[in-house]
Amino acid sequence: MNILRYTCGKWLLYPVLLALSLVLTPVAPASAQGNFADYPPLLPDYTSIKIFDNQGRYVGRLLPEKRYWASIDRIPSFLQKAVVAVEDARFYEHGGIDIRGIARALVKDVVKGKMVEGGSTITQQLIKNKYLSGAKTIERKLDEARMAIDFEKKYTKKQILEMYFNEIYYGNGAWGIVQAARIYFDKNPEELTDAECALLAGVPKNPGRYNPLGKAANVTRRRDVVLKRMVELSIISPRQQQRLRTQRVTFMRSGQALQYVAHVRAKLIERYGAEIIEQGGLEVTAALDLNLQKQAELALAEGVKRISPHMQGALVCLDPTTGDVLAAVGGVGVTKGSYNRAFSAKRQPGSSIKPLIYAAALEKGITAGSIWNDTPVAYDRGNNQVWKPQNYGRERYGDLSLRRALAYSNNVITIKVLEAIGVPYFTDFAGKMGLPLRAQNGLSLALGTDEVTLNDLVQAYTPLASGGMRSEGRTIIRIYDHRRRAWTENPPIVTPVLAPATAFVTTQMLKDVMTYGTAKSLRRFSQQHPAAGKTGTTDDYRDAWFVGYTPQVITGVWVGYDKPRPGGKGFTGGAVAAPIWERFMRRAVAAKPAVDFPKPDAVVSVTIDPTTGYLATAECPKKRDEFYIAGTEPTQYCPKHGGGEAVPPPVTPPPPPSPAAKDGML
């Protein structure tokens, strides 16, 4: 009764008011107006930018951000007829509003007992989309009717239809037929088939429900309504109807690797300017390996979810010899336009910075077998403040070789090493490795207090994995320009920044991290696939890192909260990031040979007593083979075990304490 009362009491007044409007404002045939397009005209030869991975597999597309206008001659005749048939069969007869259609709709509403049909003409729909809100009020309907009548006086039917197709919404962010044809079929409007037109003609009634990517049953049912109506109006024959119902239509697949594609977009704009996206016409071969990308997304999502559903993470995988970014995941549950933590987020790397300090020390002549003591030292910070850095957990080991200090991620010894080589020297060294750091952070740089992106940190490890060659990250391998019919190659940028011997010895030290050090959970992996890496954990457990590599692949993982806060005790690089790294890397190296890092000629191996750093004698209870850059190996035998007269051990003593810039990571 309520619907009947509402319909009869209020909406039955509507056709009366509209009839009066018609009587008072008779409609004369309109003459064609000049330029009425609201957007730039669609280029005749436009094609979207398509992105393929390094194996030629389709990844996704880059579509223009702007809206473009399709003239009526570029809109298929079949689509025009289909829309008129299903939306406004008397379009060419009425003057903007269709009293007969409104009356018919109201009768149906009364019979059904609910609002099932609106009776709006194409002109009214255009007015509502272009100028008015969707509010269902008598006032809005009257404004819509008056404006529709005025429109019919000003524009021809063909012009109104052209405006309609360019203004109507087709779902999934597609405003107008140009965007709809691109998003759903990767075509210009004039390229649409009759079967594709039949689908699109049914969308405006309910874009969220009937768009081509919606539920198949709903989309098909609506298309059948369109075709049935066209048969009733003798626009197509029953035979054509049947053919179009059975004709297969292929939709564009949803894009994959959304953030990687967004990064490619940024690189294209950086190279060609922002207008390149609007111009289109390119095929881009990306460095991406689509299979690895999917594995990276899965490993990161599942790994982070086990820790906390509110936490985030990132993963970057490179080919260390070329810098090719094989996979990059900028977060968990990402969507188009999501913040890319792999390339943009700057966080403190904690102890994952230490391999660069130790590599710099090796270049200065300090050796992996040299002995250091981790007794804490106090540093004057000025203003009567003292900085006394401690090891993680405040434990003390006493004397340690540089190798073991790195494996255990010893904070105190790392600070002493940085002090020995000098902060300016190290920041210059890190810059050459591709990691810009601020010297004003002082000795706290040893604990990773400067902020870096995951992508930059992983790139800085490439010289360690590739024998001293720094590889700049590459996301685009080549580009084909359809207009010029020409390829543009984007060769790798590889620069020697580190002595091969230094890279090798540092890598051998980092192998211990994965056997008995802070990432010993990866021991089995490293036994199956020779690998090296380093954990990173920042103060108060805010960030967890692991960067590790084989000779063929280097991968970094970061986990933490977007708004930095503690992850809780035990939230460390070894416990949180390393398992994610392993899960991904097992798939990344599964089809690759388990080869070891090649030893350069400039590296020598000698047997030492690891507790003293001297050459081992027969009486030494502990012995190990240690690698040295030729010329830095010890020449004295162990004095504690029959090596002759005692001489100073091969240790580089730290210089006197100096002020540190700021507190560091424990």
Side-chain angles (χ1 to χ4, degrees):
M1 289 299 295
N2 288 338
I3 186 66
L4 291 176
R5 189 177 299 114
Y6 175 76
T7 303
C8 295
K10 187 173 185 180
W11 287 100
L12 284 180
L13 180 64
Y14 179 49
V16 176
L17 294 172
L18 294 185
L20 288 173
S21 297
L22 279 173
V23 171
L24 295 174
T25 54
V27 179
S31 58
Q33 299 297 307
N35 182 27
F36 52 84
D38 290 333
Y39 313 105
L42 174 65
L43 295 174
D45 58 346
Y46 175 85
T47 58
S48 63
I49 297 176
K50 296 180 179 64
I51 299 171
F52 302 87
D53 81 343
N54 58 21
Q55 300 298 312
R57 293 170 291 211
Y58 173 77
V59 178
R61 298 175 295 158
L62 296 177
L63 297 175
E65 298 284 336
K66 300 176 183 176
R67 288 176 64 176
Y68 292 89
W69 193 273
S71 58
I72 195 67
D73 59 298
R74 298 189 65 177
I75 300 171
S77 174
F78 187 93
L79 180 57
Q80 296 180 43
K81 294 175 182 177
V83 166
V84 169
V86 77
E87 291 292 336
D88 185 4
R90 299 185 64 253
F91 173 68
Y92 292 104
E93 301 170 26
H94 61 65
I97 57 175
D98 185 4
I99 296 299
R100 189 187 305 174
I102 294 171
R104 182 177 62 251
L106 286 170
V107 170
K108 287 187 177 181
D109 292 344
V110 172
V111 171
K112 295 289 186 179
K114 59 181 179 179
M115 301 292 290
V116 295
E117 194 166 323
S120 293
T121 65
I122 283 176
T123 312
Q124 287 175 280
Q125 292 179 44
L126 171 61
I127 294 296
K128 183 178 72 173
N129 277 273
K130 192 174 177 66
Y131 300 110
L132 304 175
S133 70
K136 293 184 177 181
T137 65
I138 191 68
E139 292 80 10
R140 196 272 295 168
K141 291 295 290 184
L142 285 171
D143 288 341
E144 177 187 290
R146 293 191 188 99
M147 293 176 72
I149 294 169
D150 289 341
F151 239 63
E152 294 274 350
K153 293 177 181 178
K154 187 174 181 180
Y155 300 104
T156 67
K157 291 290 186 178
K158 183 177 288 189
Q159 289 176 328
I160 291 172
L161 202 57
E162 180 175 318
M163 285 187 273
Y164 174 87
F165 278 112
N166 283 284
E167 294 288 351
I168 207 71
Y169 185 56
Y170 285 90
N172 293 299
W175 285 96
I177 190 60
V178 173
Q179 289 187 336
R182 284 175 180 167
I183 288 176
Y184 300 125
F185 305 109
D186 199 39
K187 293 181 176 182
N188 290 325
E190 66 269 23
E191 299 169 328
L192 294 169
T193 66
D194 289 352
E196 292 164 349
C197 289
L199 284 169
L200 291 177
V203 175
K205 184 174 181 65
N206 190 332
R209 183 179 178 86
Y210 297 135
N211 76 80
L213 301 182
K215 189 176 179 181
N218 294 335
V219 176
T220 301
R221 191 179 303 114
R222 179 60 180 165
R223 179 210 60 191
D224 290 346
V225 168
V226 172
L227 294 176
K228 181 183 178 183
R229 184 63 175 150
M230 294 181 78
V231 171
E232 291 171 351
L233 296 174
S234 301
I235 297 172
I236 62 173
S237 67
R239 186 174 180 179
Q240 287 176 296
Q241 176 192 26
Q242 185 59 30
R243 177 178 61 80
L244 290 171
R245 289 185 63 184
T246 57
Q247 188 171 329
R248 185 178 179 182
V249 175
T250 302
F251 312 121
M252 288 303 298
R253 290 171 290 162
S254 298
Q256 305 173 85
L258 297 180
Q259 289 190 322
Y260 197 109
V261 169
H263 192 67
V264 169
R265 180 183 184 277
K267 288 296 182 182
L268 290 173
I269 292 174
E270 181 182 301
R271 182 167 186 166
Y272 298 109
E275 284 305 307
I276 190 64
I277 307 301
E278 303 300 318
Q279 293 167 8
L282 304 180
E283 283 189 13
V284 178
T285 300
L288 173 72
D289 181 315
L290 194 54
N291 288 342
L292 280 185
Q293 176 71 20
K294 292 176 181 177
Q295 294 298 333
E297 292 171 0
L298 182 63
L300 186 69
E302 293 188 351
V304 171
K305 185 179 178 181
R306 289 193 184 101
I307 305 163
S308 167
H310 307 295
M311 201 165 275
Q312 269 296 345
L315 183 152
V316 172
C317 174
L318 300 179
D319 179 332
T321 61
T322 62
D324 284 354
V325 182
L326 302 175
V329 187
V332 177
V334 300
T335 58
K336 183 180 179 181
S338 292
Y339 182 54
N340 195 324
R341 298 162 188 83
F343 294 102
S344 303
K346 286 193 171 186
R347 305 293 286 252
Q348 294 181 338
S351 296
S352 60
I353 200 71
K354 290 176 180 175
L356 304 188
I357 296 174
Y358 283 61
L362 292 175
E363 293 252 300
K364 275 276 194 177
I366 297 174
T367 67
S370 60
I371 305 301
W372 297 71
N373 186 278
D374 72 346
T375 300
V377 177
Y379 297 91
D380 182 8
R381 299 179 59 196
N383 299 322
N384 296 320
Q385 293 184 340
V386 174
W387 180 49
K388 191 174 183 180
Q390 303 285 336
N391 290 325
Y392 174 80
R394 297 184 177 271
E395 71 279 4
R396 295 184 185 179
Y397 293 91
D399 289 340
L400 282 177
S401 69
L402 201 68
R403 172 183 287 274
R404 295 183 74 82
L406 182 56
Y408 293 143
S409 198
N410 193 287
N411 287 342
V412 175
I413 288 177
T414 304
I415 292 169
K416 291 180 178 180
V417 170
L418 179 57
E419 192 168 20
I421 65 176
V423 170
Y425 170 78
F426 170 63
T427 54
D428 181 64
F429 177 88
K432 293 177 182 177
M433 299 281 277
L435 196 67
L437 298 174
R438 296 171 295 178
Q440 57 264 39
N441 277 30
L443 293 179
S444 70
L445 285 173
L447 307 180
T449 56
D450 210 345
E451 293 182 334
V452 301
T453 67
L454 176 61
N455 180 60
D456 286 347
L457 183 62
V458 172
Q459 284 190 55
Y461 271 63
T462 60
L464 303 178
S466 62
M469 306 297 289
R470 176 182 176 266
S471 302
E472 187 174 313
R474 181 172 70 155
T475 51
I476 297 175
I477 295 176
R478 65 183 62 89
I479 300 169
Y480 181 72
D481 188 328
H482 281 278
R483 292 190 179 91
R484 294 192 301 113
R485 298 184 180 179
W487 286 97
T488 300
E489 296 290 334
N490 188 33
I493 299 176
V494 182
T495 309
V497 296
L498 193 64
T502 302
F504 179 82
V505 175
T506 306
T507 293
Q508 298 307 309
M509 296 168 69
L510 290 173
K511 280 186 172 183
D512 286 6
V513 173
M514 302 173 72
T515 55
Y516 65 84
T518 55
K520 60 187 177 183
S521 63
L522 302 176
R523 181 175 183 177
R524 185 177 178 186
F525 176 92
S526 65
Q527 290 173 337
Q528 297 167 341
H529 303 276
K534 184 67 185 76
T535 57
T537 307
T538 55
D539 197 15
D540 293 334
Y541 312 101
R542 292 172 183 268
D543 300 272
W545 304 75
F546 187 79
V547 183
Y549 54 92
T550 68
Q552 307 105 324
V553 181
I554 179 169
T555 298
V557 174
W558 167 83
V559 180
Y561 290 104
D562 277 337
K563 186 176 182 180
R565 61 187 175 94
K569 191 171 183 180
F571 183 76
T572 65
V576 172
I580 297 173
W581 181 91
E582 180 182 15
R583 175 168 183 173
F584 169 74
M585 283 292 284
R586 284 199 174 278
R587 290 163 174 79
V589 302
K592 299 181 183 296
V595 297
D596 208 343
F597 300 91
K599 183 169 79 69
D601 293 338
V603 172
V604 297
S605 176
V606 299
T607 304
I608 65 169
D609 182 331
T611 63
T612 65
Y614 287 99
L615 293 173
T617 68
E619 289 77 21
C620 287
K622 293 182 179 179
K623 303 181 181 69
R624 71 156 290 146
D625 292 336
E626 185 58 270
F627 292 104
Y628 296 87
I629 300 171
T632 65
E633 69 272 19
T635 57
Q636 300 281 348
Y637 282 92
C638 178
K640 290 180 62 176
H641 304 102
E645 183 180 352
V647 294
V651 60
T652 303
S658 61
K662 57 185 287 189
D663 288 341
M665 301 293 107
L666 302 182

